[in-house]
Amino acid sequence: QVHLTESGGGSVQDGGSLRLSCVASPHIYSGRNMGWFRQRPGLEREGVALVSVDSSYTKYADSVKGRFVVSRDSYKKTVYLQMNDLKPDDTAIYYCVAGGAWELKPSSFSYWGQGTQVTVSS
């Protein structure tokens, strides 16, 4: 059973923008913190951004602050990651997550999407 489905990945040039979307099953979306992690080539998964249940709070990794914006739409049961001023170092598989504590640790999250590839070329 698929609970989280990402879309919006692709290839862009240095300085470009992309918006990732993640549609969640209703029972997964409700009452859970949600966010995004990524796995860059040769590295472990790392937290990128979180948004709280009611969108009151957000949290970002230092490497993306000021460039990425996370948001959620309760009507559409969707979480977004707007990525601006992308850099080659942002190249990674991006994963949507749900159901964790308020921390950017992979072990904290129960539900993961299948991932979407983002490639940034110089």
Side-chain angles (χ1 to χ4, degrees):
Q1 185 176 2
V2 178
H3 299 297
L4 299 169
T5 304
E6 302 103 333
S7 62
S11 297
V12 295
Q13 291 193 324
D14 192 354
S17 298
L18 282 174
R19 187 175 82 155
L20 305 182
S21 300
C22 172
V23 179
S25 301
H27 71 286
I28 297 300
Y29 183 91
S30 298
R32 290 184 166 89
N33 295 324
M34 297 191 70
W36 296 88
F37 280 66
R38 69 184 181 185
Q39 187 162 19
R40 294 183 282 180
L43 300 176
E44 296 184 352
R45 288 188 186 185
E46 59 182 349
V48 175
L50 299 180
V51 56
S52 64
V53 174
D54 62 356
S55 300
S56 294
Y57 300 98
T58 55
K59 179 191 288 280
Y60 296 94
D62 288 343
S63 58
V64 306
K65 280 181 182 176
R67 300 188 299 123
F68 291 11
V69 178
V70 62
S71 62
R72 63 193 294 171
D73 183 325
S74 60
Y75 181 75
K76 296 181 179 179
K77 303 296 188 282
T78 300
V79 178
Y80 302 98
L81 185 67
Q82 177 66 44
M83 304 185 294
N84 301 317
D85 190 22
L86 282 160
K87 307 177 186 301
D89 201 39
D90 294 317
T91 295
I93 299 173
Y94 284 74
Y95 298 90
C96 177
V97 298
W102 192 245
E103 53 186 4
L104 290 169
K105 294 182 180 179
S107 59
S108 293
F109 286 83
S110 306
Y111 298 97
W112 291 74
Q114 80 285 357
T116 186
Q117 177 71 46
V118 171
T119 302
V120 185
S121 58
S122 58

